[in-house]
Amino acid sequence: MALGGAFVTWAKVAAEDFAVIKGEIQHIEKTPGIRRGFCRECGTTLTYAALNEVEGQDWSADAWFSAVTLDDPSIAQPKAHVFVSHQQPWIKLDDGQPKFPEF
């Protein structure tokens, strides 16, 4: 698990539209082809990048980032719930969004 919370909201934009405007992202690639980015100063998780096809999906044209890092995280509207196979029994997802056991 990359993040220790019950929920993480990831957002994406076209990679060509993503830019870091302050600071520098430190990257780590523990899984070949999966690059995670974090803040060098505080360690906050910032980005996720699949450099190749992952389980039949090509995300190389997308820039994924943690929505909580936005100045206004409320602009990121959820479109689905993933990894619900890891959902805690006390969590009730009843917002009508699609649910997927894994990614």
Side-chain angles (χ1 to χ4, degrees):
M1 175 180 271
L3 302 162
F7 298 96
V8 177
T9 302
W10 288 99
K12 75 171 182 164
V13 296
E16 62 197 30
D17 294 333
F18 182 80
V20 176
I21 58 172
K22 184 178 179 184
E24 187 176 330
I25 296 177
Q26 176 72 44
H27 292 99
I28 187 167
E29 191 173 326
K30 298 283 283 183
T31 303
I34 305 296
R35 183 175 294 152
R36 297 181 186 278
F38 58 94
C39 175
R40 286 179 186 235
E41 300 295 318
C42 69
T44 297
T45 296
L46 300 172
T47 61
Y48 171 93
L51 307 178
N52 306 300
E53 188 175 290
V54 176
E55 297 183 13
Q57 297 185 51
D58 183 5
W59 295 343
S60 61
D62 299 326
W64 290 83
F65 58 93
S66 175
V68 72
T69 63
L70 293 168
D71 289 338
D72 180 6
S74 70
I75 66 170
Q77 296 295 311
K79 304 254 192 264
H81 300 288
V82 295
F83 286 112
V84 296
S85 62
H86 301 278
Q87 178 177 321
Q88 296 299 308
W90 45 266
I91 295 173
K92 306 298 180 219
L93 300 172
D94 61 358
D95 60 1
Q97 299 294 338
K99 298 176 185 80
F100 301 95
E102 301 295 328
F103 209 14

